Amino acid sequence: MSSDDSIPELSNGTLYSLKSEGLRHAMTCFHIVVLLSSLAGETIILVASIKYRAFKLHRLITVIVQHIAVCDLLGCLTAVLPKVISLIADRWYWGTLCVT
């Protein structure tokens, strides 16, 4: 028995319960919108708070907002981006460790 025999087939049908191509395309579009809006929104927040100092708040609150924006960017890149790639490719490429 090779190591590949123990890994189940991880398709979009088993991961996301997608039974048709239309649902896969709709879910792909939704996740792309989430990814792009998150990247744009968090980047705007970071640029506005760091470069232009647009927030007229206490420095501690501004730092907390910046940390939340960075954490949201990291979460988007580590959770949503792999889902988008797997939905486009119609296959899960990230192994069994990263199944979300």
Side-chain angles (χ1 to χ4, degrees), residues 40-70:
E42 302 307 328
T43 302
I44 289 170
I45 287 173
L46 288 173
V47 168
S49 65
I50 294 171
K51 185 175 181 182
Y52 298 110
R53 301 202 186 277
F55 298 145
K56 304 292 186 221
L57 299 171
H58 191 271
R59 181 70 182 142
L60 179 65
I61 294 175
T62 303
V63 169
I64 291 172
V65 168
Q66 290 170 349
H67 281 113
I68 291 172
V70 169

Side-chain angles (χ1 to χ4, degrees), residues 4-5 8 19 21 35-36 43 54 70 73 78 85:
D4 291 338
D5 293 339
K19 302 198 183 343
E21 286 294 308
L35 179 70
L36 293 177
T43 302
V70 169
L73 276 174
T78 59
I85 293 171

Side-chain angles (χ1 to χ4, degrees), residues 18 20-32 87-88:
L18 300 177
S20 70
E21 286 294 308
L23 287 174
R24 184 174 71 88
H25 293 302
M27 193 168 198
T28 302
C29 290
F30 171 75
H31 278 86
I32 288 173
L87 285 168
I88 290 171

